[in-house]
Amino acid sequence: MKRKERAAETEAALKAAAKRVFAERGYLNTKITDITAEAGRAAGSFYNHFAGKEALLEALMADMAADGDSWAAAPGHRSDFTDPQAVREHVAVYVRRYREHAVTLRAMREAALVNEGFAATVDRFAASETADLLGHVAHVAEAGRQLPAAPETALRMAFSLVHAFLQARQQQADPATEQETVEALTRFVYRGLNGRDY
């Protein structure tokens, strides 16, 4: 195996191990040595890939963003939020991403609580995610419908409410299926942005 391949394999192993340990102990209670032990790697190998635990978390955030970017770049991506199906597809992807990246999202919250610099990183990450959707909301205004606030504010409101709901759903046993959740959130977001039902 070539050196570059070994390095990529070690980095992937460290990220996977971090997610397992974060899920079990929480981000704040996890030490770098916990991650390297879980990955079966030497403690010093961590620093060949990450400057510290926060840098590893930022790499996990980048992976999460890349997941969304690859979906948005796929053929057939709908970007007109006057179209209920476009809203549904985006909500469904967000619900899936929230489920698949729940450990990273929880780690982000924990890190932001104790570190103002990392809180700013999380804010920039959220702003970037929101900015990617601004053009989608512009279609609503162009169709002559009145958004509840300026496009960026309306989008942040929708994003925040959906995110908070999914966080609460994860913490409490919600009997709704994922499909039912997607449908309810689609109606909620569509109505909130378009001022009408579909």
Side-chain angles (χ1 to χ4, degrees), residues 82 135 137-145:
T82 63
V137 175
H139 291 287
V140 176
E142 289 164 7
R145 300 175 188 176

Side-chain angles (χ1 to χ4, degrees), residues 51-90:
K53 194 166 67 166
E54 285 180 8
L56 182 146
L57 182 52
E58 288 179 19
L60 293 175
M61 291 165 63
D63 290 347
M64 184 168 53
D67 176 32
D69 292 345
S70 66
W71 174 76
H77 173 256
R78 299 173 201 243
S79 61
D80 180 352
F81 274 9
T82 63
D83 176 0
Q85 188 58 29
V87 175
R88 184 177 291 104
E89 289 169 1
H90 282 78

Side-chain angles (χ1 to χ4, degrees), residues 2 16 19 28 42 70 83 94 106 124 126 147 165 171-172 176 182:
K2 295 181 180 176
K19 288 195 272 189
L28 296 177
S70 66
D83 176 0
Y94 191 77
R106 190 177 86 193
R124 284 191 300 276
L147 289 163
F165 174 77
Q171 293 168 349
Q172 303 161 359
V182 167

Side-chain angles (χ1 to χ4, degrees), residues 8-100:
E9 184 182 274
T10 297
E11 182 176 326
L14 289 168
K15 288 196 271 190
K19 288 195 272 189
R20 290 191 300 272
V21 179
F22 292 165
E24 182 184 317
R25 301 180 189 183
Y27 174 83
L28 296 177
N29 294 324
T30 296
K31 299 181 191 124
I32 289 171
T33 51
D34 298 329
I35 296 168
T36 55
E38 177 70 20
R41 300 297 198 271
S45 70
F46 183 92
Y47 295 101
N48 293 330
H49 301 277
F50 307 106
K53 194 166 67 166
E54 285 180 8
L56 182 146
L57 182 52
E58 288 179 19
L60 293 175
M61 291 165 63
D63 290 347
M64 184 168 53
D67 176 32
D69 292 345
S70 66
W71 174 76
H77 173 256
R78 299 173 201 243
S79 61
D80 180 352
F81 274 9
T82 63
D83 176 0
Q85 188 58 29
V87 175
R88 184 177 291 104
E89 289 169 1
H90 282 78
V91 168
V93 167
Y94 191 77
V95 169
R96 176 190 57 79
R97 286 178 67 207
Y98 194 95
R99 175 178 33 80
E100 292 175 358

